[in-house]
């Protein structure tokens, strides 16, 4: 049993950890999406229609696969549970580093991936040399 005060404290802690975009416009996200890279995919509901036209509801879950991605910036393998859609998006972007930096906050809900995104952004910014036209000559 969760006391209402504890529940609000838990929600505040979760809000501090996740991007603000996850809480805007009544965005409903399955709790399972916080455990992997789901890239916006969520549970869908549909109907089984029999020969007699009787409709029974069914749940269509995202196709989630355990995968490992190599991060060139961090120099190590990253293990995630990712949907096949997220895997295709990462392949199209080139690698996990490029996708994490490019992806919008609504697509990345995993707290580990959010921290990695910040770390990769910091390391790539530090590795970029200063522009040649901005040299300071006294």
């Amino acid at each position: 049993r969760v006391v209402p005060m504890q529940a609000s404290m838990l929600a505040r802690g979760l809000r501090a950890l996740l991007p603000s975009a996850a809480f805007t416009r009544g965005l409903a996200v399955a709790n399972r999406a916080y455990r992997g890279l789901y890239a916006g995919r969520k549970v869908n509901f549909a109907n089984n229609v029999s020969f007699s036209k009787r409709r029974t509801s069914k749940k269509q879950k995202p196709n989630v696969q355990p995968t490992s991605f190599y991060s060139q910036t961090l120099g190590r393998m990253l293990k995630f549970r990712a949907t096949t859609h997220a895997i295709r998006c990462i392949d199209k972007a080139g690698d996990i580093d490029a996708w994490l930096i490019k992806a919008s906050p609504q697509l990345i809900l995993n707290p580990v991936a959010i921290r990695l995104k910040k770390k990769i952004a910091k390391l790539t910014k530090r590795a970029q040399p200063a522009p040649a036209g901005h040299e300071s000559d006294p």
Side-chain angles (χ1 to χ4, degrees), residues 61-104:
K61 295 180 182 174
N63 185 4
V64 180
Q65 304 294 325
T67 55
S68 297
F69 302 103
Y70 182 74
S71 170
Q72 292 182 354
T73 307
L74 301 174
R76 65 184 178 102
M77 294 296 284
L78 306 174
K79 280 188 171 185
F80 284 108
R81 296 180 68 222
T83 60
T84 52
H85 173 72
I87 295 169
R88 284 194 310 271
C89 291
I90 292 167
D91 285 342
K92 186 176 180 180
D95 63 346
I96 186 77
D97 301 336
W99 183 77
L100 282 173
I101 290 172
K102 185 180 79 168
S104 67

